[in-house]
Amino acid sequence: MSTANASPATSPRTPAPRIEERETSLHGHRVSYSIAGEGPVVGLIHGITETADVWRDVIPRLARHYTVVAGDLLGHGRSAKPRGDYSLGAYASGMRDLFGSLGFERGTVVGRSLGGGIAMQFAYQFPEYTERMVLVSSGGLGREVHPLLRAATLPGSELVLPMIAPSWAVRVGESTGRGLSRVGLHVHSDIAEMARGYASLNDAEARDAFRHTLRAVIDPGGQRISALDRLYLADEMPVLLLWGSDDPIIPARHGRRAHELIRHSRLVEFEGSGHWPQLDHPDRFADTLIDFIETTEPYEFELGRMQQQLRTGPGPRSQSP
């Protein structure tokens, strides 16, 4: 394990490529996404109640080196919110379809929180599309999760969701953070981003999509989906785990456990950061990700290797502590 302290890979004077906001239609549903830069593909997957905007501070830096694609998941942001399948598998397929529609055969997949679970599912379903996997404050690696998310899965919770974080809470959270930063105190992004996410649930369609998505991965007891028994399949894939040491949503020990289970993985913890390290420390976050991509070789899928892994199985390392 290490703390994030990478040297800048590009001078801050280098102009950032223009970020284009686009829309496409996949299976008849609108999908909104941002794209910028040139070179190897990096796909960014946001978490629940979020949008591609959660990557706003790191896309410009990454786009100096790579083609960066960040979509709004179905049920989120400007993308459609249909009645349908909001499982991890469906989201992973949607990411594959977005890649395919843009003519991209493969790339590095970066997912945070719920998006981390989607990234793992993507690598599991479509290893031939996956060059590297980056998990940021990821779900799917342990049972614990913030009590507010567990409570939101209870019967009747949809009736009170619009009142959890109205728009005024977002404004207060943002202004409080700015005020404290002016007097030299660091306030990480957890309060403002949680308020922003829950405020988006004032929209009935978004609320319905949120409920289906959340209940697919969480129940009142905590996270109900675990990838721990299948992480051995990523032993030969470059894997980076990025976490805030003070994450109140998904504990940093989940990342440490995954690091133990994935043989050649890297773990970087951002000291004093919470659930949104890419917002708390955007330059260090981007530098760490760039360094990881530049110092690892893209994964090459081999059916024979997977066959041997599946026959051998995970072994004792995958057992829960």
Side-chain angles (χ1 to χ4, degrees), residues 191-312:
I191 295 175
E193 291 303 316
M194 286 187 71
R196 187 194 311 277
Y198 276 96
S200 72
L201 301 181
N202 282 314
D203 176 83
E205 289 182 333
R207 193 158 60 246
D208 193 52
F210 166 79
R211 186 174 69 252
H212 288 297
T213 300
L214 190 70
R215 289 176 179 172
V217 293
I218 294 175
D219 61 27
Q223 296 188 63
R224 49 190 301 248
I225 304 294
S226 174
L228 294 177
D229 62 345
R230 302 182 191 193
L231 290 181
Y232 72 99
L233 294 173
D235 271 350
E236 303 302 324
M237 179 180 292
V239 175
L240 174 64
L241 300 141
L242 300 175
W243 231 280
S245 63
D246 298 339
D247 192 332
I249 311 297
I250 302 175
R253 62 178 171 273
H254 290 197
R256 297 171 197 146
R257 177 59 175 158
H259 177 50
E260 294 173 357
L261 295 175
I262 305 174
R263 194 179 322 178
H264 302 298
S265 64
R266 301 183 190 179
L267 170 64
V268 177
E269 291 188 19
F270 292 76
E271 294 298 326
S273 183
H275 193 56
W276 283 266
Q278 84 281 4
L279 295 178
D280 293 334
H281 306 286
D283 289 340
R284 292 166 61 197
F285 183 98
D287 289 342
T288 303
L289 181 52
I290 293 167
D291 177 73
F292 169 70
I293 295 173
E294 296 302 313
T295 58
T296 56
E297 292 296 322
Y299 174 76
E300 295 289 344
F301 173 69
E302 296 178 10
L303 180 59
R305 178 173 56 199
M306 174 175 278
Q307 183 182 38
Q308 182 60 41
Q309 287 175 311
L310 290 169
R311 286 176 172 175
T312 303

Side-chain angles (χ1 to χ4, degrees), residues 78-287:
R78 295 181 296 276
S79 290
K81 301 168 181 64
R83 289 181 58 84
D85 186 356
Y86 287 99
S87 65
L88 293 180
Y91 278 130
S93 294
M95 186 69 179
R96 187 274 315 270
D97 293 345
L98 180 59
F99 268 26
S101 73
L102 296 174
F104 300 142
E105 294 185 3
R106 53 206 314 263
T108 295
V109 181
V110 183
R112 55 155 277 101
S113 199
L114 171 74
I118 296 170
M120 286 188 284
Q121 189 70 28
F122 182 92
Y124 178 61
Q125 291 179 193
F126 311 112
E128 68 278 12
Y129 274 73
T130 311
E131 293 185 341
R132 300 169 189 82
M133 181 169 65
V134 182
L135 305 178
V136 184
S137 310
S138 178
L141 298 172
R143 184 73 166 147
E144 298 98 327
V145 71
H146 195 279
L148 186 60
L149 289 173
R150 298 203 309 268
T153 67
L154 293 170
S157 61
E158 59 270 19
L159 301 177
V160 299
L161 284 176
M163 297 179 285
I164 290 177
S167 57
W168 63 263
V170 179
R171 293 193 297 271
V172 169
E174 291 175 338
S175 62
T176 299
R178 287 194 298 268
L180 291 175
S181 66
R182 282 196 291 269
V183 296
L185 296 177
H186 172 68
V187 178
H188 53 61
S189 306
D190 294 343
I191 295 175
E193 291 303 316
M194 286 187 71
R196 187 194 311 277
Y198 276 96
S200 72
L201 301 181
N202 282 314
D203 176 83
E205 289 182 333
R207 193 158 60 246
D208 193 52
F210 166 79
R211 186 174 69 252
H212 288 297
T213 300
L214 190 70
R215 289 176 179 172
V217 293
I218 294 175
D219 61 27
Q223 296 188 63
R224 49 190 301 248
I225 304 294
S226 174
L228 294 177
D229 62 345
R230 302 182 191 193
L231 290 181
Y232 72 99
L233 294 173
D235 271 350
E236 303 302 324
M237 179 180 292
V239 175
L240 174 64
L241 300 141
L242 300 175
W243 231 280
S245 63
D246 298 339
D247 192 332
I249 311 297
I250 302 175
R253 62 178 171 273
H254 290 197
R256 297 171 197 146
R257 177 59 175 158
H259 177 50
E260 294 173 357
L261 295 175
I262 305 174
R263 194 179 322 178
H264 302 298
S265 64
R266 301 183 190 179
L267 170 64
V268 177
E269 291 188 19
F270 292 76
E271 294 298 326
S273 183
H275 193 56
W276 283 266
Q278 84 281 4
L279 295 178
D280 293 334
H281 306 286
D283 289 340
R284 292 166 61 197
F285 183 98
D287 289 342

Side-chain angles (χ1 to χ4, degrees), residues 21-40:
E21 305 293 337
R22 299 182 183 175
E23 286 187 357
T24 189
S25 178
L26 295 175
H27 315 299
H29 303 300
R30 182 182 67 256
V31 175
S32 174
Y33 65 97
S34 302
I35 187 167
E38 296 180 349

